[in-house]
Amino acid sequence: MYFDQTPETGGRKSEWLRRLPLWKWYTDYFPARLIAEATLDPQRNYIFGYHPHGIISTGVFANFCNESTGLSDLFPGLNIRVLTLVHQFLVPFYREFVLSIGLASVSRKSITHILNSGPGNSCLIVVGGVEEVLEARPTVAKLVLARRCGFVRMAIKNGADLVPVFGFGENQLYEQPDNSVGSWTRTIQTFSKRTFGIAFPIYYGRGIFNYNFGLLPHRLPLTVITGTPIRVEKNPNPSEEMVQAVHKQYIDALTDLYNRNKGTYWVGSEPPELTFV
């Protein structure tokens, strides 16, 4: 674990594991599906930005960590790695599993290596991170994105196009007790996030024999939609103005993607307005 740099050099996918029939059973539970609004050029590199994080980013696992919803058929020629925190690679045996399903580190070194490994090499980042976990509720669409510019800067430095992705149903799979800002629960969670990098949300879904409480996610449609890519020209030393301009372009594209599809794919209550914090 100490000497193995695989998480920083693109991981090591196992197509055998990613194509096992059990993943089809998993995605049929919700059911989950992946919809691409645009065809992506396999000669380009991409950074996919996934929103919202939800409790455990189930939409990412269901659609990008296996082939049960047709990822390779939708994006032929692309090799997409899902990027996550380095903590995931510190647990023996479990690290081998997450590496095999296509995960790699979300560090700058890892992103740079992937995007410069040839045409089609791309990555997916759950941009809101652990902070957005604490905002995951069935009736809200609040994204931690207003000041998240690192992924945009990396896209410009490496000449990777940006693809906004929204997971409709992600926030509805689990529920959280009240943890509003200022509450003792939120205070402890914020301290944990800053100290350990993990938010430790308190959440519940359904059980095996009941629909009201348990650790299983609720059985609701989970529809992940990838939008039209934003063309990004390579600049090894982008100015802050350039980063902010592309960041605004990304937010506008994500907002448009959400507004065009919320009437069809939002689960449960009346679709809320998309907000950024």
Side-chain angles (χ1 to χ4, degrees):
M1 287 170 55
Y2 182 80
F3 291 104
D4 181 21
Q5 293 298 303
T6 301
E8 301 291 340
T9 55
R12 47 170 174 263
K13 283 185 179 181
S14 166
E15 289 301 319
W16 174 82
L17 181 61
R18 287 169 56 87
R19 295 179 183 274
L20 285 178
L22 66 89
W23 303 128
K24 181 61 176 174
W25 305 337
Y26 173 82
T27 53
D28 283 350
Y29 168 84
F30 300 101
R33 62 171 170 165
L34 180 63
I35 299 174
E37 287 195 340
T39 302
L40 302 186
D41 182 0
Q43 295 303 308
R44 299 285 297 174
N45 304 98
Y46 302 91
I47 292 181
F48 293 75
Y50 183 85
H51 314 269
H53 187 290
I55 296 296
I56 54 176
S57 298
T58 305
V60 174
F61 182 83
N63 293 286
F64 292 92
C65 295
N66 63 79
E67 293 292 335
S68 64
T69 57
L71 178 65
S72 294
D73 294 331
L74 283 173
F75 304 118
L78 295 190
N79 184 5
I80 304 170
R81 282 79 149 197
V82 173
L83 305 187
T84 187
L85 296 175
V86 69
H87 306 83
Q88 300 277 6
F89 308 104
L90 299 180
V91 182
F93 303 107
Y94 172 73
R95 75 188 299 270
E96 302 305 323
F97 168 70
V98 295
L99 284 169
S100 296
I101 61 174
L103 270 65
S105 172
V106 75
S107 68
R108 289 187 180 90
K109 176 183 176 181
S110 173
I111 296 172
T112 301
H113 178 88
I114 291 170
L115 297 179
N116 288 277
S117 297
N121 283 282
S122 305
C123 53
L124 181 145
I125 301 173
V126 185
V127 179
V130 293
E131 188 173 345
E132 199 171 89
V133 174
L134 304 181
E135 305 292 348
R137 278 188 172 70
T139 58
V140 301
K142 184 183 292 186
L143 305 182
V144 179
L145 183 58
R147 294 182 297 276
R148 294 284 169 101
C149 297
F151 73 106
V152 174
R153 185 172 287 105
M154 292 302 295
I156 298 174
K157 285 185 174 182
N158 295 282
D161 296 344
L162 288 165
V163 182
V165 184
F166 198 92
F168 290 92
E170 184 72 63
N171 276 353
Q172 285 75 27
L173 299 182
Y174 290 100
E175 299 177 63
Q176 291 192 74
D178 177 62
N179 65 339
S180 54
V181 177
S183 66
W184 67 268
T185 303
R186 188 60 165 261
T187 301
I188 294 173
Q189 289 173 329
T190 301
F191 172 79
S192 171
K193 178 175 68 68
R194 291 175 178 172
T195 306
F196 305 108
I198 303 175
F200 293 112
I202 302 172
Y203 64 91
Y204 60 94
R206 57 162 289 176
I208 298 175
F209 302 112
N210 75 82
Y211 298 100
N212 302 316
F213 188 80
L215 294 180
L216 290 175
H218 291 296
R219 194 171 188 180
L220 298 169
L222 181 56
T223 307
V224 175
I225 304 179
T226 64
T228 302
I230 300 166
R231 184 72 176 224
V232 177
E233 299 300 332
K234 186 173 183 177
N235 187 326
N237 297 293
S239 65
E240 188 60 29
E241 291 76 14
M242 183 183 298
V243 172
Q244 291 300 325
V246 177
H247 184 261
K248 182 180 185 305
Q249 193 177 357
Y250 179 86
I251 286 182
D252 290 344
L254 178 62
T255 302
D256 179 62
L257 173 69
Y258 174 78
N259 288 336
R260 283 188 289 102
N261 292 284
K262 65 181 181 181
T264 304
Y265 299 112
W266 182 264
V267 178
S269 62
E270 184 71 18
E273 290 300 312
L274 193 62
T275 58
F276 303 98
V277 295

